[in-house]
Amino acid sequence: MRIDIITIFPEFFREVFDFGIIRRARKAGLVEISAHDLRNWTSDKHHIVDDRPFGGGDGMVLKPEPIFAAVESLTGAQSRDSCPGGTRVILLSPQGRVLTQAVANELAATKHLVVIAGRYEGVDERVSEALVTDEISIGDYVLSGGEPAAVVLTDAVVRLLPGALGSETSAINESFAEGLLDCPQYTRPPEFRGMRVPEVLLSGNHGEIVKWRREAAEEKTRRNRPDLLK
Ligand code: 9D3
């Protein structure tokens, strides 16, 4: 897979993909990740990427020309309709559909992701209308730009690539696949500052342990994420 991120802050990504599973996946050649400076695709002296919104209002809007030029140079296509198969052009924005594990799974089956990270108050809507295949948000809270969201999306997708995790099946056995949160985990010591590890986990009774874990996961989900049980 190839992931191209278009941003006005390419430095933001300098080290973030150099750790853990993403670093391993890159070294193993499973994915190539690049962050490109949107200003590379400006043609004026001052490398201007934004302008004031038509109709008035606060803040600035990212201009369409550099974004279209960037996506065209990275995909060879001038609009989403001529996008090669296996290529997705993603706009990260608060107006997108929310990133879920199902969306990550879908994107992990793609060969080429072009990810546009917005800044300012937004991006000229013609980018969404003509260029973007998927407009994605990472959740209902306000970020100062799309860059942190690009890191989140990249992480969620890359770890799903076959061979990225130690075992090929481990991504499938994870909690969100079952619609429940993970059960609580404990390690040594069995007592820490007066807090005991649940005795059943020390019992060696595998059947009882499985049952306890399932119930503990359900309890945790009821308490923290009742929406997952509906
Ligand atoms: C909805 C907020 N907008 C009201 C005028 C302004 C605005 C706030 C923050 C416009 C853009 C942004 C920058 N955020 C993103 O680019 C972004 C984002 C987010 O803020 N939350 C969750 N997911 C994402 S993906 C990209």
Side-chain angles (χ1 to χ4, degrees), residues 45-78:
K45 185 167 75 174
H46 299 290
H47 303 286
I48 291 172
V49 292
D50 60 346
D51 206 339
R52 290 153 57 208
F54 275 129
D58 289 333
M60 299 292 270
V61 176
L62 285 179
K63 293 160 63 63
E65 302 96 317
I67 298 178
F68 273 76
V71 172
E72 185 174 349
S73 81
L74 293 169
T75 67
Q78 281 181 284

Side-chain angles (χ1 to χ4, degrees), residues 92-95 118 120-122 136-139 141-146 149:
L92 293 169
S93 99
Q95 285 73 48
Y120 310 107
E121 289 308 298
I136 293 177
S137 158
I138 63 164
Y141 38 82
V142 180
L143 299 173
S144 48

Side-chain angles (χ1 to χ4, degrees), residues 179-197:
L180 280 185
L181 301 180
D182 283 351
C183 68
Q185 305 279 1
Y186 297 87
T187 186
R188 292 189 294 177
E191 182 173 332
F192 172 68
R193 297 191 179 179
M195 297 177 282
R196 296 275 313 159
V197 171

Side-chain angles (χ1 to χ4, degrees), residues 6-206:
I6 300 168
T7 173
I8 59 166
F9 295 132
E11 297 287 289
F12 184 94
F13 300 93
R14 193 194 269 286
E15 295 185 55
V16 75
F17 299 131
D18 257 352
F19 300 91
I21 289 169
I22 301 194
R23 178 194 179 92
R24 254 210 352 247
R26 291 173 64 206
K27 287 194 156 180
L30 302 177
V31 63
E32 246 181 289
I33 306 171
S34 315
H36 306 274
D37 191 338
L38 179 61
R39 296 185 200 278
N40 292 345
W41 286 283
T42 52
S43 43
D44 63 305
K45 185 167 75 174
H46 299 290
H47 303 286
I48 291 172
V49 292
D50 60 346
D51 206 339
R52 290 153 57 208
F54 275 129
D58 289 333
M60 299 292 270
V61 176
L62 285 179
K63 293 160 63 63
E65 302 96 317
I67 298 178
F68 273 76
V71 172
E72 185 174 349
S73 81
L74 293 169
T75 67
Q78 281 181 284
S79 76
R80 76 164 140 254
D81 305 311
S82 49
C83 227
T87 296
R88 300 278 196 113
V89 180
I90 294 165
L91 175 65
L92 293 169
S93 99
Q95 285 73 48
R97 65 176 169 139
V98 175
L99 180 64
T100 60
Q101 193 60 44
V103 173
N105 287 335
E106 202 185 295
L107 297 177
T110 305
K111 269 185 19 209
H112 188 192
L113 298 181
V114 176
V115 178
I116 304 162
R119 276 275 155 176
Y120 310 107
E121 289 308 298
V123 176
D124 188 286
E125 189 66 17
R126 287 166 289 193
V127 169
S128 301
E129 288 167 2
L131 201 54
V132 159
T133 62
D134 302 85
E135 187 168 355
I136 293 177
S137 158
I138 63 164
D140 294 337
Y141 38 82
V142 180
L143 299 173
S144 48
E147 285 79 8
V151 173
V152 168
L153 179 107
T154 299
D155 190 276
V157 169
V158 168
R159 60 189 299 290
L160 293 172
L161 299 178
L165 300 182
S167 137
E168 301 265 336
T169 53
S170 35
I172 297 165
N173 290 330
E174 284 172 325
S175 65
F176 283 103
E178 288 178 65
L180 280 185
L181 301 180
D182 283 351
C183 68
Q185 305 279 1
Y186 297 87
T187 186
R188 292 189 294 177
E191 182 173 332
F192 172 68
R193 297 191 179 179
M195 297 177 282
R196 296 275 313 159
V197 171
E199 287 302 322
V200 58
L201 297 177
L202 311 176
S203 71
N205 184 334
H206 187 61

